[in-house]
PDB file of all heavy atoms in Angstrom:
ATOM      1  N   GLY K 296      42.285 -30.203 -61.688  1.00 86.00           N
ATOM      2  CA  GLY K 296      42.235 -31.378 -60.810  1.00 86.00           C
ATOM      3  C   GLY K 296      40.820 -31.759 -60.394  1.00 86.00           C
ATOM      4  O   GLY K 296      40.632 -32.705 -59.619  1.00 86.00           O
ATOM      5  N   GLN K 319      38.885 -31.780 -53.974  1.00 87.00           N
ATOM      6  CA  GLN K 319      39.084 -31.475 -52.551  1.00 87.00           C
ATOM      7  C   GLN K 319      40.515 -31.020 -52.269  1.00 87.00           C
ATOM      8  O   GLN K 319      40.853 -30.745 -51.130  1.00 87.00           O
ATOM      9  CB  GLN K 319      38.780 -32.720 -51.704  1.00 87.00           C
ATOM     10  CG  GLN K 319      37.289 -32.983 -51.564  1.00 87.00           C
ATOM     11  CD  GLN K 319      37.026 -34.235 -50.762  1.00 87.00           C
ATOM     12  OE1 GLN K 319      37.288 -35.331 -51.244  1.00 87.00           O
ATOM     13  NE2 GLN K 319      36.523 -34.077 -49.558  1.00 87.00           N
ATOM     14  N   ASP K 320      41.345 -30.951 -53.325  1.00 80.00           N
ATOM     15  CA  ASP K 320      42.758 -30.577 -53.136  1.00 80.00           C
ATOM     16  C   ASP K 320      42.897 -29.197 -52.502  1.00 80.00           C
ATOM     17  O   ASP K 320      42.136 -28.282 -52.805  1.00 80.00           O
ATOM     18  CB  ASP K 320      43.472 -30.494 -54.493  1.00 80.00           C
ATOM     19  CG  ASP K 320      43.671 -31.857 -55.095  1.00 80.00           C
ATOM     20  OD1 ASP K 320      43.337 -32.829 -54.406  1.00 80.00           O
ATOM     21  OD2 ASP K 320      44.138 -31.931 -56.244  1.00 80.00           O
ATOM     22  N   GLY K 414      37.927 -39.987-101.753  1.00 48.00           N
ATOM     23  CA  GLY K 414      38.065 -40.612-100.434  1.00 48.00           C
ATOM     24  C   GLY K 414      38.737 -39.636 -99.493  1.00 48.00           C
ATOM     25  O   GLY K 414      38.312 -38.495 -99.365  1.00 48.00           O
ATOM     26  N   VAL K 502      65.575 -10.307 -99.592  1.00 84.00           N
ATOM     27  CA  VAL K 502      66.626  -9.568 -98.883  1.00 84.00           C
ATOM     28  C   VAL K 502      65.981  -8.725 -97.790  1.00 84.00           C
ATOM     29  O   VAL K 502      64.969  -8.071 -98.027  1.00 84.00           O
ATOM     30  CB  VAL K 502      67.398  -8.652 -99.854  1.00 84.00           C
ATOM     31  CG1 VAL K 502      68.477  -7.873 -99.101  1.00 84.00           C
ATOM     32  CG2 VAL K 502      68.003  -9.466-100.978  1.00 84.00           C
ATOM     33  N   GLN K 550      80.426 -12.229 -91.595  1.00 90.00           N
ATOM     34  CA  GLN K 550      79.601 -13.067 -92.466  1.00 90.00           C
ATOM     35  C   GLN K 550      79.136 -14.331 -91.737  1.00 90.00           C
ATOM     36  O   GLN K 550      79.894 -14.917 -90.964  1.00 90.00           O
ATOM     37  CB  GLN K 550      80.413 -13.529 -93.670  1.00 90.00           C
ATOM     38  CG  GLN K 550      80.862 -12.437 -94.600  1.00 90.00           C
ATOM     39  CD  GLN K 550      81.688 -13.048 -95.726  1.00 90.00           C
ATOM     40  OE1 GLN K 550      81.272 -13.985 -96.374  1.00 90.00           O
ATOM     41  NE2 GLN K 550      82.872 -12.497 -95.919  1.00 90.00           N
TER      42      GLN K 550
END
Side-chain angles (χ1 to χ4, degrees):
Chain K
Q319 284 178 290
D320 289 355
V502 179
Q550 295 179 52

